[in-house]
Amino acid sequence: MSGAQRHLLLEVKLEGGRFHGQPEWPPSPARVFQALVAASAKGEVLEERDVEALEWLESLPPPLMAAPAATLGQEVKLWVPNNDLDSAGGDPKRVQEIRTAKRVRPRIFDGRVPLLYAWDVGRLNDELPAARIADIAKQMYQLGRGVDMAWAEARIVDDEALSKALQKFRYEIHRPTPGGGSDAVYPCPAPGSLASLRQRYAASLERFAREGALSVFVQPPKARFAQVAYDAAPPRALFEIRPVGSMGSFSATPATSAVRLVEIVRDVAIARLSEALGDRARGLERALLGRKGDEEAAPRPEERIRIVPLPSIGHEHADRGIRRVLVEVPHALASSAQDVFWAFSGLSIQTPMGASAILVRASELKMLSHFGALGTTHRRFRTVTPAALPAVRRRIAPENVSADAKPASERHDEEQKARVAVMQALRHAGITANVAHLHVQREPFDAKGARAEAFAGGTRFAKERLWHVEIRFADSVAGPIAIGDGRFLGLGLMAPADDTARVLAFRIVDGLMPGAQPPRVAEALRKAVMARFDAAKLPLPELVTGHQADGAPSKSPARLAYVADLDASRLLLVVT
């Protein structure tokens, strides 16, 4: 396992599928760290080897988190004694005078599904502290509040084992994006967290001090954790390709020349960065090329800058010419994002067709919605440019096509190998959503598309390796998605293909009045859906209301229709 990326995988199970900690879900890495500290402690004593292991854990980058979907349960109000018996003369018989309301509202989920936390581990000498963390995890007894009984186990795994663990159940996966702008911010252990917890515990033992005849309460210092954003979109910039001398129009490059266009844009941007930044551009050059430096390893895929050529799609008559390029900077290089975007802005290039063009930063990002990159999620995706896969088909010379036709069994085997390769490509691209259906073919999925072989010319990818792919995920995922060995060169780009209505049906089991009118029931369903968003303190999307935030009619083509099919005793939510 020493040659592959390794992870410390912690699996936590909560008794009964209930979690009472507030307000976050899943439980934050800081909660997990505190639970490990509590599991390690023997009274007020921590063994030295446990201290070393916990300090090692807090030095790791924030973990990936995976949890099952959870819903808020029924809120219960409990009347409990306030921690102020002195105001009642210290008499326990008067405790009813100091009771205060305490609201409890658990999150409910499938208790058979463990919570997963995966920290990246890179050094060989981490085996000892990792093994000690695994021993500590076996002693965990709760997570969150005292009623949240829990147990855990930990182990070192490679990428493949982690991927299998994430696909075993239907997880909501949350990835750390330090420095990103996100509404989801979780406290995570960081260097000094363990020391602050020990300091807080020691101070809590002496929180009452005497000042003459008075007993004074001293607030213990707070524990120190890093606040880390999760699931934030990487820094992005969209650039339009404009012809020199006619800046009011677009310069279009055929989609079949996507690889060559990316290479041209990348190389000219690298030259511009090197000229402006000198030696400081080496790290960005490595992130653009994906190659190792003189004394540095090659960047991992999630550390690479991505250049994504965007063919024009979204309409049946769109010609699929490339008129825009998306540049994505990984969160690890977020501090250099503006330098990267500067390198592409105003860049002069010669397109693969020999035309002189300039990259102009776009102010309107609506084009990205065609690739699922503006906050929407989708279940079905199709390749716009074919994916380069390790699976190849047997090449037949053109002059022998008639005499050497492949039998159906051989074609079936080739496609099966390609489907297996797609699953590997998804894992390499960091996409862990479960796949419900997968199809591969050579032909394009749309009338204006090109066969897979047409994209191979002038590239390092043999045409036998190129496949068009359709994937239907079990759960909705966000784009843009690019898979395969050529995903950093414009190949394997996928677009949502949700061209059929999506229907969610509910059976009416009770409570329907005789003579109920379908329009009134449908309106009640609409109000109930909006009430659910209000109860969860979530903004109402245009899909649900049909209106923009300012009250104007929604311009989005997607709308949620409410149907009362009373003859079949069911209610339907239809995304049209």
Side-chain angles (χ1 to χ4, degrees):
M1 196 183 295
S2 59
Q5 176 62 33
R6 304 180 307 151
H7 312 271
L8 173 64
L9 177 61
L10 180 70
E11 298 186 7
V12 182
K13 283 193 174 181
L14 282 160
E15 173 65 26
R18 301 288 191 274
F19 177 72
H20 294 80
Q22 293 290 344
E24 82 275 0
W25 178 261
S28 71
R31 286 186 187 268
V32 173
F33 185 77
Q34 291 178 89
L36 290 171
V37 173
S40 169
K42 306 297 188 293
E44 28 182 297
V45 178
L46 289 175
E47 293 186 28
E48 187 59 34
R49 58 176 180 167
D50 289 355
V51 171
E52 293 176 359
L54 291 166
E55 288 179 342
W56 166 81
L57 182 61
E58 70 181 15
S59 71
L60 297 178
L64 172 149
M65 300 187 295
T71 59
L72 286 171
Q74 180 67 42
E75 184 178 88
V76 177
K77 185 190 294 185
L78 304 177
W79 293 92
V80 299
N82 195 5
N83 191 17
D84 189 21
L85 192 59
D86 289 344
S87 63
D91 185 358
K93 295 180 180 180
R94 297 174 57 190
V95 71
Q96 71 276 6
E97 300 177 16
I98 58 170
R99 293 190 188 278
T100 185
K102 185 174 185 178
R103 289 175 170 81
V104 177
R105 191 176 190 184
R107 292 187 184 269
I108 304 172
F109 60 96
D110 187 346
R112 297 168 296 178
V113 181
L115 310 177
L116 302 184
Y117 298 83
W119 286 264
D120 286 349
V121 179
R123 299 182 299 276
L124 291 176
N125 61 356
D126 287 337
E127 298 289 352
L128 188 59
R132 188 57 195 158
I133 292 296
D135 290 339
I136 295 173
K138 294 177 182 177
Q139 303 173 57
M140 183 184 292
Y141 56 92
Q142 69 181 53
L143 178 65
R145 293 177 53 187
V147 295
D148 294 322
M149 297 179 61
W151 61 97
E153 61 177 347
R155 63 187 187 276
I156 293 289
V157 300
D158 59 13
D159 283 334
E160 184 175 357
L162 175 60
S163 179
K164 289 181 178 179
L166 293 173
Q167 294 178 10
K168 187 174 181 180
F169 299 101
R170 296 184 66 172
Y171 279 118
E172 294 177 350
I173 299 174
H174 306 275
R175 301 180 185 278
T177 50
S182 173
D183 293 334
V185 178
Y186 291 84
C188 296
S193 291
L194 177 61
S196 70
L197 287 172
R198 300 181 76 178
Q199 182 181 6
R200 176 177 174 81
Y201 178 77
S204 68
L205 298 178
E206 301 177 354
R207 61 187 182 275
F208 291 101
R210 299 293 299 181
E211 291 186 4
L214 297 177
S215 180
V216 179
F217 175 76
V218 179
Q219 180 72 42
K222 291 185 177 181
R224 295 193 297 273
F225 293 103
Q227 300 298 315
V228 179
Y230 273 71
D231 305 322
R236 292 172 177 160
L238 184 64
F239 296 90
E240 299 168 342
I241 306 175
R242 302 280 186 175
V244 174
S246 182
M247 297 298 287
S249 59
F250 288 93
S251 176
T253 298
T256 52
S257 298
V259 173
R260 184 61 188 139
L261 177 63
V262 170
E263 291 174 338
I264 291 171
V265 172
R266 178 198 65 193
D267 294 344
V268 178
I270 288 174
R272 192 177 191 187
L273 282 168
S274 299
E275 181 181 354
L277 302 179
D279 291 342
R280 291 185 297 152
R282 289 182 180 176
L284 299 178
E285 180 179 347
R286 288 175 55 248
L288 282 163
L289 290 172
R291 301 172 186 166
K292 65 180 181 180
D294 295 335
E295 299 180 355
E296 298 172 305
R300 297 168 58 190
E302 60 267 26
E303 297 171 341
R304 291 191 58 181
I305 297 171
R306 196 159 64 145
I307 303 172
V308 186
L310 301 179
S312 296
I313 60 174
H315 192 278
E316 60 180 340
H317 299 301
D319 63 2
R320 304 221 162 194
I322 300 172
R323 296 172 173 83
R324 298 169 182 84
V325 172
L326 176 68
V327 179
E328 282 189 353
V329 178
H331 289 286
L333 297 175
S335 60
S336 300
Q338 294 309 314
D339 289 337
V340 174
F341 298 153
W342 168 84
F344 286 88
S345 184
L347 197 65
S348 297
I349 63 169
Q350 290 289 119
T351 71
M353 313 309 295
S356 298
I358 296 176
L359 267 61
V360 178
R361 187 163 182 176
S363 57
E364 177 59 63
L365 303 180
K366 187 180 296 184
M367 178 66 180
L368 298 182
S369 64
H370 295 308
F371 297 89
L374 288 183
T376 59
T377 58
H378 307 267
R379 293 184 62 187
R380 191 155 65 101
F381 284 80
R382 289 174 172 172
T383 50
V384 180
T385 58
L389 304 173
V392 300
R393 64 186 178 97
R394 179 169 63 88
R395 183 179 182 274
I396 301 176
E399 62 272 16
N400 297 329
V401 169
S402 298
D404 193 17
K406 293 181 182 179
S409 60
E410 183 177 354
R411 293 197 300 271
H412 177 272
D413 289 344
E414 288 177 348
E415 292 178 358
Q416 178 59 27
K417 291 178 181 178
R419 286 190 285 269
V420 173
V422 170
M423 297 300 294
Q424 294 175 341
L426 288 169
R427 178 168 59 84
H428 293 158
I431 301 170
T432 56
N434 290 325
V435 174
H437 176 75
L438 196 158
H439 175 73
V440 296
Q441 63 185 46
R442 297 292 179 175
E443 301 78 12
F445 291 106
D446 298 286
K448 295 291 185 177
R451 285 181 60 90
E453 296 90 340
F455 292 79
T459 75
R460 61 182 175 86
F461 302 103
K463 64 182 182 180
E464 292 80 18
R465 294 183 57 194
L466 302 182
W467 297 83
H468 279 298
V469 181
E470 180 183 73
I471 302 173
R472 180 163 55 85
F473 294 101
D475 296 296
S476 297
V477 299
I481 293 176
I483 63 172
D485 294 342
R487 65 187 182 278
F488 292 103
L489 291 172
L491 294 181
L493 177 64
M494 310 190 79
D498 296 335
D499 52 6
T500 57
R502 289 164 288 175
V503 181
L504 189 62
F506 298 90
R507 181 172 301 279
I508 301 174
V509 296
D510 192 15
L512 190 65
M513 299 293 292
Q517 299 298 313
R520 299 188 64 179
V521 175
E523 177 62 24
L525 175 62
R526 178 175 180 268
K527 291 180 179 179
V529 170
M530 292 191 291
R532 275 295 183 93
F533 280 89
D534 184 60
K537 295 183 171 56
L538 295 174
L540 281 167
E542 293 183 22
L543 175 72
V544 173
T545 64
H547 298 279
Q548 301 181 51
D550 60 1
S554 173
K555 297 180 180 179
S556 172
R559 292 288 300 276
L560 186 62
Y562 307 86
V563 180
D565 184 7
L566 302 187
D567 291 338
S569 296
R570 62 182 183 176
L571 301 176
L572 306 177
L573 298 177
V574 183
V575 179
T576 60

